[in-house]
Amino acid sequence: MSVKEQRRRGRQGRRRALPAVLAAAVVVGGTLVAATPAAGAGSDQWVSLPPNAPGVGDVYRFTVPNSAIQPATGINGAVVAVEGNFAPGKTWTTLNMGLSGGNWTSTIGPLEPGLYYYQYSARSAWNQDAIPFRNPASPQEVTSKPAWNTLFVDGPGAEWLADVPNGGALEDLTYESSVTGAERSALVWTPPGYDENRAEPYPVLYLLQDEGQSYREWVELGRLKQILDNLAVEGDAEPMVVVMGDGESDEIRGEVVKNLLPAAEGAFNVSRNGDGRAIAGIGRGADQALSLLVSATGEFSEVGSFSGDLEQNVGKGKARQINDATDLIRLYVGNVTDPSYNSTVDLAAKLSAAGVEFQSDGSDPETGGTWDTWQKSLHDFAQRVFQDSGDTGPSEGHLPLAPHSLPAAGTTPTPWIDENGVVTFETGTEFAGANNVTVWGNFGPAGSWPRTPMTKQDDGRWRLTMPVEAGSYYYKFVVEGSDRKDTTNPTTVLSEPNWSTFQVPGDDTLRGEYTTPVAPEARGNVEVMNYTSSANGNPIRSAYVWTPPGYDPDRAEAYPVLYLQHGGGQTWTDWVEVGFAAQILDNHYAKGDIVPMVVVMANGNGVNFPNEITQRITVAAEAQYNVSNDPENRALAGLSMGSQAALSTLYTFPGQFAYVGAMSAFTNPPASANVAAINEGTKLLRIYSGDMQDFTYQNTLSLVSALDSRGIEHEFAPIIPGPHSWDVWQKALIDLLPRLFKG
């Protein structure tokens, strides 16, 4: 039996010898240190939870009094924002705020359960640096980031981060450092029921923070207390003491081994032997933990590296020493956006080449080099130390470690999308002199539009890399407040020349499932139909027409037809260019969910739409395509202004379209509306809306109330979380299509 196996089997029951207490200079704070509270909407009164539709989830509103900005920043803010980890992968992003009635406001959500951290910022002009600030009436929650507040969103998936009644305790530990010649502090968590007189000393986990962090961030942003409390209550971790030491030192061996360990062992009933000690760290702290693995082999039996690296080379002899003295070495890293990703790949290769036994947790595909990743790393590592965990492989869903690189700058169209949905945007060098460049796109919660900062590269280009879930997206660059097109993206949007689009394949989201292109042979055809409009001057206008696979212009039975309208500020191309309607139709057809139909997407701008649709658009479609003129085989739907077009046509010409869909809808029925004719001639009237972030939300509620009061038969679909956006309208279209022509 190896030395390692003997130590592993004997750990639980063996009584350890206790050397004399040597830490006479140790001072333990006599009062408990309260964990950073789960902020919610209570600690920062500038955050509120406005009423929202039932079942949608919490939408948060940030409200900053204009009068508070100058005292907090010294400037009169012209550009005010809330910045936080609200973008995909918990990427740091910016939500610009609008000024109304003396307050700057912004709304975001629903937020997935978890911890968010944020700050407010103000600029005197777009080309000036942002000055961060927080609500001065709220407590400072993050030691190293004075302007930050936190917001904990409770709910499914975040139970392990929630507060636990009767959990462990936090105490300050103060000691004299021979390395710095000054007093230093650490933070210590003791488990529920901690017994300072227990005969068997507690195993102890030492944690080291990254450069630029405070050791208190393990609690403030890492939610260590909640993580350890939950594990302790559930019995998923060995009862242990956790010491969060200050790794701000160039002599880490002296600081940890000669100072921190004796201090903790003198103040708490913890193990004084290496087989009862573990150490882990983040970034620089992980580097330090790994360096102690090599330089102080045997002082710690278990080592965790969270986004770390090891500069020292490890020889075969040292590898054997490490293997004999160490029970567990486990490597953690975020996705390829983690700055330490490739370093961790190299670390794994270095350890393997030396013959060091270790485990890899793989790469966390969801988040990068952020506390969101390290929370999960701590949660996993704490369940493995001082007990046999069984499974030694990566966490479920994690990806294998493999080197990652991007194409050479300026060589391919952008954005670059890797096989795991990580998207990289890059500008040319034309903005090298700019002070701030962001990507403004529908990447926020429920399709909202944050401005996510890009980072200037050495060659003057700006770059942003972040994970994005499957679906279709539209974006533009914002350079010091000026909208700019990504000129290396070949896609175009006719109605918004600065916008570009892209699609992230995948079936793990609804939009991903329906916007991912089907095989070429399974696609319908999209072509342009020209027609004469009723607009002034009778101009020739265009419409996109989608015909299903196998469309037969000579089929005896004419095809059912859906007339699908765009919104205000848009035109006939938007449902295809931004809404990805063709892909949605292709996917529905491939699944067998819809009947073979033709879809006409025409220009509804600047016309009396009821007349335009009945006298021009349908006439042209029936002349050029094999589509039905039977009202029971005609449908009309639209978004926003297009909903007004569809509804006004329903009120004006009841019975001409048996199926009507209205998205982000408004336009109440006029007093002259023939309710009996509407009900008799309409098989389906279905209303859709985004949540309270959709500026037509109240109009939609008013419409539904008016339909109810007038007795017009209709369906009000469940509220779709999100603002006035294509994410909402795509989901509405996905829901509507299978309902057509089935009656």
Side-chain angles (χ1 to χ4, degrees), residues 338-567:
D338 188 330
S340 295
Y341 177 82
N342 278 332
S343 297
T344 302
V345 175
D346 294 341
L347 170 61
K350 177 184 289 188
L351 295 178
S352 294
V356 175
E357 298 172 6
F358 71 96
Q359 299 174 7
S360 170
D361 196 50
S363 167
D364 185 337
E366 296 179 346
T367 48
T370 69
W371 271 110
D372 314 278
T373 297
W374 305 322
Q375 288 168 355
K376 290 177 279 187
S377 302
L378 176 63
H379 186 253
D380 180 85
F381 190 65
Q383 295 179 75
R384 295 176 181 275
V385 293
F386 313 122
Q387 61 182 3
D388 289 332
S389 61
D391 180 19
T392 62
S395 298
E396 184 178 357
H398 282 204
L399 303 173
L401 296 178
H404 180 265
S405 62
L406 296 172
T411 61
T412 64
T414 57
W416 303 314
I417 307 168
D418 74 12
E419 65 276 13
N420 299 311
V422 176
V423 180
T424 299
F425 305 89
E426 185 177 76
T427 73
T429 58
E430 64 271 29
F431 310 131
N435 189 44
N436 66 82
V437 180
T438 63
V439 179
W440 188 13
N442 61 322
F443 314 123
S448 55
W449 306 281
R451 290 173 167 86
T452 306
M454 306 183 80
T455 301
K456 186 186 287 188
Q457 307 300 300
D458 292 340
D459 63 358
R461 301 173 191 270
W462 293 77
R463 183 179 290 171
L464 166 66
T465 300
M466 65 180 180
V468 177
E469 66 180 15
S472 65
Y473 296 91
Y474 50 105
Y475 71 97
K476 57 187 173 183
F477 297 140
V478 181
V479 182
E480 295 182 341
S482 176
D483 295 348
R484 300 296 184 91
K485 173 81 167 68
D486 181 355
T487 56
T488 62
N489 185 324
T491 64
T492 60
V493 178
L494 179 63
S495 63
E496 297 278 359
N498 288 313
W499 290 100
S500 301
T501 64
F502 66 94
Q503 201 275 339
V504 177
D507 58 5
D508 54 339
T509 68
L510 182 68
R511 293 196 316 113
E513 179 181 357
Y514 283 92
T515 63
T516 296
V518 300
E521 63 273 14
R523 297 173 191 171
N525 188 48
V526 177
E527 57 189 29
V528 175
M529 178 187 81
N530 294 317
Y531 63 98
T532 303
S533 172
S534 63
N536 291 338
N538 297 324
I540 300 298
R541 286 190 167 185
S542 298
Y544 267 135
V545 179
W546 179 88
T547 53
Y551 167 75
D552 181 0
D554 300 316
R555 194 177 81 165
E557 182 183 0
Y559 288 84
V561 55
L562 164 63
Y563 296 91
L564 184 61
Q565 289 306 120
H566 59 83

Side-chain angles (χ1 to χ4, degrees), residues 253-269:
R253 179 173 180 175
E255 185 60 41
V256 171
V257 177
K258 296 182 180 179
N259 292 299
L260 181 60
L261 266 60
E265 291 161 8
F268 295 90
N269 184 12

